[in-house]
Amino acid sequence: MSTNQKNRVSHVAIIMDGNGRWAQKRALPRSMGHKQGAETVKEIARAANELGIGFLTLYAFSTENWNRPKEEVDTLMGLLRQYLKSDFSELNKNNIRIRFIGEREMLAPDIAASMEQLENETAANTGMTLCLAVSYGARQEIAGAARRLASLVKKGDISESDIDIKLFSDMLYTKDMPDPDILIRTSGEKRLSNYLLWQLAYSEMFFSDTLWPDFKPQELRDIINEFYSRERRYGKV
Ligand code: IPE
Ligand code: IPE
Ligand code: MG
């Protein structure tokens, strides 16, 4: 077992799942689960920053989540709006850089504007980068990259043979981020649900039965310890 530079944790990606079931178990409306889940976001972001993790990417809302009942979508967008305006300032004080990935054109203009403002305000911070995937879908991201490359070829800016893994990666939302070392999905589901399909090619996967609102920093630390005991082979022997 070694904890050298080679397997240092630079990026953790999380599918924050189970807010609805957390509320259901308590006979509360689903919105209360989302509210509690948002508290967990703050707690885990703080802990990850203290652990020295470079990037924490959280799946907050998928492109497919737009298909939920309007009332639930409104609740989630309301929570996001509230957090963008107030709670994220605490993260800023902790030197955390905030950024967003996903289809911004789908979001309400005031939400998109607040996101941009937060990104700008925190751009010079030197601590962890907290990346929130909002209205995010990996297939849409990949199709968008293909579209952009096609248009560059058409304009004559690049030739077909320039298209390789590096150039393709540069067309993704995550272009200046390392690939996740660790993927965590809470709530017992074992699927990717259109999350970071390109970037997760060699990530170590962890599936936890804990519902997201119950996820605690200690569980994150346990997962990181287990990560150190795994051997990443990248196809080699
Ligand atoms: C995750 O919790 C949050 C979002 C997808 C927005 P869910 O709302 O999916 O909770 P469950 O899976 O129904 O319990
Ligand atoms: C994935 O959770 C999306 C987020 C956590 C934001 P879902 O609850 O939407 O995924 P499925 O529908 O169970 O695959
Ligand atoms: Mg779910």
Side-chain angles (χ1 to χ4, degrees):
M1 181 167 123
S2 76
T3 55
N4 59 18
Q5 215 43 34
K6 230 169 71 192
N7 62 3
R8 217 181 67 89
V9 179
S10 53
H11 186 177
V12 174
I14 306 183
I15 301 174
M16 311 186 284
D17 200 8
N19 292 350
R21 277 163 284 168
W22 183 91
Q24 243 158 26
K25 262 178 42 184
R26 290 164 178 75
L28 295 166
R30 290 177 61 85
S31 59
M32 294 305 290
H34 295 312
K35 216 164 163 225
Q36 198 56 44
E39 292 301 315
T40 304
V41 168
K42 283 194 280 182
E43 201 180 350
I44 293 301
R46 217 179 293 128
N49 189 36
E50 281 162 15
L51 285 167
I53 290 166
F55 296 83
L56 176 69
T57 300
L58 303 177
Y59 207 3
F61 192 87
S62 73
T63 42
E64 289 71 27
N65 288 148
W66 288 112
N67 300 321
R68 291 192 179 193
K70 183 176 183 301
E71 193 194 328
E72 178 156 350
V73 171
D74 288 348
T75 298
L76 285 163
M77 290 300 144
L79 264 176
L80 177 61
R81 190 174 272 118
Q82 182 189 323
Y83 273 73
L84 285 170
K85 298 217 160 95
S86 54
D87 293 294
F88 280 123
S89 55
E90 188 212 311
L91 298 173
N92 193 12
K93 270 183 242 135
N94 288 325
N95 200 21
I96 292 176
R97 200 153 52 122
I98 298 163
R99 57 176 299 177
F100 297 89
I101 58 173
E103 303 199 324
R104 259 179 235 205
E105 14 358 301
M106 300 280 288
L107 298 165
D110 72 300
I111 289 185
S114 299
M115 284 177 166
E116 203 183 323
Q117 195 188 335
L118 253 174
E119 287 179 330
N120 293 336
E121 276 171 19
T122 62
N125 288 352
T126 53
M128 182 183 78
T129 297
L130 173 64
C131 175
L132 286 157
V134 179
S135 188
Y136 174 85
R139 287 178 164 179
Q140 290 83 347
E141 178 184 35
I142 291 168
R147 237 177 356 254
R148 229 159 304 140
L149 288 167
S151 106
L152 289 173
V153 171
K154 197 172 163 194
K155 281 194 289 177
D157 293 347
I158 60 166
S159 72
E160 270 165 66
S161 58
D162 291 330
I163 300 174
D164 57 8
I165 291 174
K166 168 78 174 68
L167 189 61
F168 202 98
S169 299
D170 285 346
M171 298 292 138
L172 300 173
Y173 294 125
T174 50
K175 66 175 183 311
D176 40 14
M177 294 164 65
D179 287 339
D181 301 294
I182 292 176
L183 169 81
I184 302 169
R185 183 169 188 147
T186 59
S187 89
E189 310 295 354
K190 294 175 184 70
R191 54 177 171 267
L192 293 178
S193 303
N194 205 13
Y195 192 43
L196 300 173
L197 298 181
W198 171 281
Q199 297 86 345
L200 293 174
Y202 270 103
S203 308
E204 295 292 326
M205 311 258 179
F206 295 83
F207 297 98
S208 162
D209 287 332
T210 306
L211 302 173
W212 176 250
D214 290 329
F215 192 82
K216 294 280 170 256
Q218 187 53 49
E219 189 166 354
L220 177 64
R221 289 192 284 268
D222 290 345
I223 287 172
I224 289 171
N225 282 335
E226 191 190 327
F227 168 82
Y228 284 136
S229 73
R230 293 191 187 181
E231 190 194 350
R232 301 175 87 185
R233 282 194 287 277
Y234 299 100
K236 299 175 198 154
V237 290

